[in-house]
Amino acid sequence: MYITCLDLEGVLVPEIWIAFAEASGIPELKRTTRDEPDYDKLMNWRLGILKEHGLGLKEIQDTIAGIDPLPGAKEFLDKLREICQVIIISDTFSQFAGPLMAKLGYPTIFCNSLEVAPSGEITGFKMRCEQSKLTTVKALQSIGYDTIASGDSHNDLAMIKASKAGFLFRSTEQIKADYPELPAYEEYDELFEAIKAAIV
């Protein structure tokens, strides 16, 4: 029995923080997990910038409302869900993901949550568990599933390497060069065929 575990941002939807960096005119916020492997460090740095500029959850959600899935993402997901179970495992937050899940046809997503003050200021974040992507894949394996995983960033590598089959998707040239043993794809059709072959 197979479950495919997919990253969200950069794989199915645009990077939320990059979109918000462009909308807010704060280029520093373009830094993502493709650039910074330490997620706690990255998030605390982002929260510091938001506080400095007096920005909160509402401003980010306003940006998210205008984000659509990447072209072909929903069709890819629909087709994939016909041949296996699919879970999106993301380091994003439930307060960000909701509108995007509606546009993707409400797939299952495991993500984290933000701590938000009554004023709307984001004061912190709560990770679902340590090393959430790897921990989730191992938990699925412990209950009898073979996992297939795909993502684009540093924080996806552990779940990709721990799975029966794992693929990079639209990753950086640096990550592809550092992990030449991982098949890397740029198009949904290629990724679908690779996952299908792994299941067969």
Side-chain angles (χ1 to χ4, degrees):
M1 292 183 288
Y2 287 90
I3 288 186
T4 297
C5 301
L6 297 175
D7 179 34
L8 177 65
E9 294 178 64
V11 173
L12 298 170
V13 304
E15 293 279 354
I16 290 168
W17 287 97
I18 290 177
F20 185 63
E22 289 168 355
S24 63
I26 306 170
E28 304 97 294
L29 287 173
K30 288 187 177 181
R31 191 166 176 78
T32 71
T33 50
R34 289 170 163 229
D35 314 298
E36 174 53 70
D38 185 331
Y39 191 75
D40 281 3
K41 181 178 171 185
L42 178 64
M43 271 308 299
N44 283 313
W45 180 77
R46 285 166 169 168
L47 295 188
I49 292 174
L50 293 178
K51 189 175 181 67
E52 184 185 321
H53 289 269
L55 297 168
L57 180 60
K58 182 186 182 303
E59 288 81 8
I60 299 175
Q61 287 179 328
D62 286 348
T63 296
I64 292 169
I67 294 176
D68 287 320
L70 292 166
K74 184 178 186 301
E75 293 76 10
F76 161 72
L77 201 52
D78 289 346
K79 197 159 75 160
L80 190 57
R81 290 162 77 187
E82 289 176 8
I83 63 169
C84 66
Q85 297 294 313
V86 180
I87 296 175
I88 297 170
I89 306 177
S90 174
D91 279 338
T92 193
F93 304 96
S94 54
Q95 293 93 334
F96 291 179
L100 296 167
M101 293 306 99
K103 292 177 181 181
L104 285 169
Y106 295 103
T108 299
I109 183 169
F110 294 168
C111 60
N112 306 305
S113 60
L114 292 168
E115 296 166 352
V116 184
S119 65
E121 180 190 348
I122 301 171
T123 56
F125 57 98
K126 188 171 179 2
M127 302 299 281
R128 191 169 46 81
C129 57
E130 283 288 314
Q131 292 187 289
S132 60
K133 297 189 180 195
L134 177 61
T135 302
T136 303
V137 157
K138 286 188 168 177
L140 291 167
Q141 291 165 352
S142 77
I143 56 170
Y145 286 96
D146 284 319
T147 60
I148 297 168
S150 185
D152 68 330
S153 296
H154 288 286
N155 62 338
D156 299 311
L157 293 168
M159 76 166 178
I160 289 171
K161 291 194 278 186
S163 291
K164 185 157 189 179
F167 312 104
L168 293 171
F169 186 69
R170 297 183 182 172
S171 190
T172 66
E173 292 307 316
Q174 187 61 58
I175 291 174
K176 287 188 279 189
D178 289 345
Y179 299 90
E181 73 280 10
L182 298 178
Y185 301 107
E186 297 298 319
E187 301 300 330
Y188 290 118
D189 287 349
E190 296 174 320
L191 182 58
F192 177 80
E193 291 303 327
I195 293 169
K196 189 177 175 183
I199 291 170
V200 171

